[in-house]
Amino acid sequence: MCGIFGVYGHPNAAALTQLGLYSLQHRGQESAGIVAVDDTGVASLRRTMGLVSEGFADDDMRALNGPIAVGHTRYSTAGASAIENAQPILARVRRGHIALAHNGNLTNAVELRRDLEDTGAIFTSSMDSEAIVHRIARSTGATPEERLANALAGVEGAYCLLVVIDETFLAARDPHGWRPLALGKLGDAWVATSETCGLDIVGASFVRDVAPGEIVAIDRQGLRSMQAIAPEPLNRCVFEHVYFARPDSKVFGASVDRARRSLGRQLARECPAPDADLVFAVPDSSNSAALGYAEESGLPFEFALIRNHYVGRTFIQPTQAGRDAKVKVKYNPVREVIEGKSVVMIDDSIVRGTTTRGLVSLVRAAGAREVHMRVSSAPIISPCYYGIDTPRREELIAASLGPDELARHLGVDTLGYLSLDGMLGAVPTGPDGYCHACFSGRYPTALPNEPELLRAGALR
Ligand code: 5GP
Ligand code: SF4
Ligand code: MG
């Protein structure tokens, strides 16, 4: 998963972009980058592994001059975790440049890449996004938006893009609308961001979402909109509301906080725990859902798990060893809240079950009498090919264990998931127009031909 943020028409575009990336840090912690384009049309790029707060020195920010900037935070879903795979991508082409930041996964990336390599393209990364840059470089059109539109014809899957072609700023969203992308205004400047919390941090006001299949082009003449690709049935990612986005954001026209509370309330109706003493969240991603559960059930909401916010990125690494170590370093139970109590532990999702299992044993060790686990989404049973790093099916715990086995494996007294219909019905703008493939196994598009190649990032 990734976060993208961009500014057009502000003297401090790169500094604002850095701020925007701070607010999109939750969407990717592996690497970050900013491209800025100055008044003379010269583009500069700075990329770093790790966090936005650590990666950009004063010298870097001074080098990122000019009124146009695009930035990216990355969690790898296609391509390895390495600096050559950090975004934005900046390519010098013909007389100009192309800068590109991508959120999403292309489902025909393997074919796109082979076609390009067969005709001489040289790739410098293993990212699916690089294929789009090559296609833009080769495409023709009277305007930059037409060039981008031509490049995107034949590109399949999930993408939100921020692109700078020379001095034109472009924002594009795939015709299924998988990922969110919002437009805002800050004085005369334009801002584009994956989530609206990025508008808040720079003081910009929300204007509208980029529409599915739309390309927005901004240059000295102002803003132009083009329906580049006819809209297809909407496949907005329901997991953005369940887990990914920040609760202070609006995505797909709805407040994430409201969506999560409603998921929590629906969970309390579907899976009550009438004899429990209290409800607590696995912070932070399930805080709002746990509040919803407490509101609906009438049980008191408590802070029973404390999350360490200073856990370094060593523990956010996408490896099993990293994940195992993470649980104890990241969470500690509050014995005074839990001891002797029958508790409802709310989480937004269970992926591999590793974190959950570790948490349950911590909660038991702190003296819980009974542990009732409630999950504010349906069981995750299938991999995502559209930009979220869910693992292969074999590693998805709910795909291999039935409900009773899973409860035993996790060490809980009872386990309750939200139903698929309950989940989709609880999202304020639901139940239609959402992708739920990882929960239902019903993929809205043809699957990638070589899914494991795509997911392993070995696009060769
Ligand atoms: P598990 O028990 O499956 O190991 O971990 C469950 C936890 O992982 C939940 O707290 C959930 O919020 C979080 N989670 C869900 N999806 C993702 C994801 O795509 N990436 C990361 N890093 N965490 C996730
Ligand atoms: Fe979102 Fe799941 Fe669809 Fe992926 S498969 S886009 S995570 S709903
Ligand atoms: Mg969580």
Side-chain angles (χ1 to χ4, degrees):
M1 183 42 84
C2 303
I4 57 176
F5 187 94
V7 174
Y8 180 91
H10 194 286
N12 301 321
L16 292 175
T17 299
Q18 186 188 21
L19 275 177
L21 294 183
Y22 272 108
S23 70
L24 300 178
Q25 187 74 82
H26 61 291
R27 297 182 71 88
Q29 300 94 27
E30 279 178 46
S31 63
I34 302 174
V35 165
V37 180
D38 73 14
D39 289 315
T40 63
V42 174
S44 316
L45 167 68
R46 291 291 184 277
R47 296 185 299 184
T48 173
M49 294 308 289
L51 302 179
V52 178
S53 58
E54 292 166 4
F56 298 97
D58 293 347
D59 283 352
D60 292 319
M61 293 314 294
R62 269 192 294 275
L64 292 168
N65 258 318
I68 308 174
V70 293
H72 190 269
T73 56
R74 176 165 197 264
Y75 192 110
S76 54
T77 47
S81 177
I83 193 71
E84 63 268 22
N85 285 338
Q87 292 198 25
I89 300 171
L90 176 62
R92 319 267 173 201
V93 291
R94 284 181 252 171
R95 288 177 302 280
H97 57 252
I98 299 164
L100 177 137
H102 172 203
N103 173 206
N105 258 30
L106 308 181
T107 47
N108 65 340
V110 173
E111 292 85 345
L112 291 176
R113 187 178 180 117
R114 284 191 187 141
D115 288 350
L116 286 159
E117 285 179 335
D118 286 348
T119 53
I122 295 166
F123 279 76
T124 60
S125 79
S126 56
M127 286 181 291
D128 55 353
S129 323
E130 198 179 349
I132 306 179
V133 176
H134 280 285
R135 290 173 67 92
I136 300 170
R138 291 168 180 215
S139 78
T140 53
T143 59
E145 57 267 36
E146 278 179 28
R147 276 180 72 189
L148 179 58
N150 290 335
L152 291 176
V155 171
E156 287 163 20
Y159 56 82
C160 278
L161 300 172
L162 295 179
V163 180
V164 184
I165 300 179
D166 301 333
E167 288 166 85
T168 303
F169 181 96
L170 301 139
R173 194 160 163 227
D174 73 66
H176 295 277
W178 254 291
R179 302 274 150 231
L181 186 59
L183 280 178
K185 262 226 101 184
L186 176 60
D188 292 332
W190 287 95
V191 180
T193 174
S194 294
E195 294 180 33
T196 58
C197 65
L199 300 177
D200 299 332
I201 198 173
V202 298
S205 52
F206 174 76
V207 175
R208 65 177 177 89
D209 285 335
V210 176
E214 183 189 21
I215 294 179
V216 170
I218 308 171
D219 63 15
R220 285 173 210 270
Q221 274 73 55
L223 180 142
R224 299 182 295 275
S225 163
M226 170 187 191
Q227 188 65 48
I229 304 169
E232 303 264 1
L234 269 182
N235 295 331
R236 298 170 295 185
C237 170
V238 71
F239 206 51
E240 292 273 353
H241 274 309
V242 166
Y243 165 76
F244 218 84
R246 259 172 50 164
D248 51 333
S249 287
K250 274 190 172 182
V251 297
F252 310 132
S255 149
V256 177
D257 172 78
R258 296 294 111 168
R260 282 189 196 159
R261 278 176 196 248
S262 154
L263 289 163
R265 280 196 296 273
Q266 178 65 16
L267 181 61
R269 288 191 286 270
E270 288 188 19
C271 309
D275 299 327
D277 298 311
L278 60 95
V279 177
F280 69 89
V282 177
D284 293 315
S285 50
S286 69
N287 288 348
S288 316
L291 276 170
Y293 192 99
E295 282 160 17
E296 182 70 25
S297 64
L299 293 172
F301 175 85
E302 291 280 356
F303 292 101
L305 276 179
I306 300 305
R307 175 178 162 188
N308 186 329
H309 286 264
Y310 308 99
V311 177
R313 60 177 178 269
T314 348
F315 295 103
I316 309 172
Q317 281 171 359
T319 64
Q320 192 61 37
R323 277 189 294 269
D324 287 343
K326 196 167 83 173
V327 181
K328 251 191 140 153
V329 178
K330 197 167 160 189
Y331 300 102
N332 199 33
V334 184
R335 177 171 279 276
E336 288 65 24
V337 173
I338 290 174
E339 195 160 29
K341 298 283 170 35
S342 169
V343 300
V344 180
M345 174 167 128
I346 309 279
D347 210 344
D348 53 88
S349 52
I350 300 177
V351 184
R352 292 179 177 81
T354 326
T355 312
T356 307
R357 208 176 161 184
L359 282 171
V360 172
S361 77
L362 289 181
V363 168
R364 290 231 182 254
R369 197 176 80 246
E370 290 173 6
V371 180
H372 302 281
M373 170 101 198
R374 298 291 180 268
V375 185
S376 61
S377 66
I380 299 180
I381 51 162
S382 282
C384 174
Y385 298 105
Y386 313 113
I388 301 257
D389 66 313
T390 46
R392 292 178 307 153
R393 192 182 309 271
E394 306 84 88
E395 293 172 59
L396 292 168
I397 196 80
S400 39
L401 298 183
D404 294 343
E405 277 176 304
L406 183 50
R408 268 197 302 280
H409 173 79
L410 297 173
V412 295
D413 293 282
T414 66
L415 171 65
Y417 277 99
L418 203 47
S419 65
L420 181 64
D421 288 345
M423 177 181 79
L424 295 170
V427 173
T429 45
D432 297 324
Y434 280 92
C435 173
H436 44 75
C438 54
F439 300 106
S440 63
R442 295 201 293 274
Y443 290 89
T445 58
L447 290 187
N449 278 340
E450 295 176 65
E452 294 318 325
L453 252 190
L454 178 74
R455 293 168 61 81
L459 290 178
R460 303 212 161 270

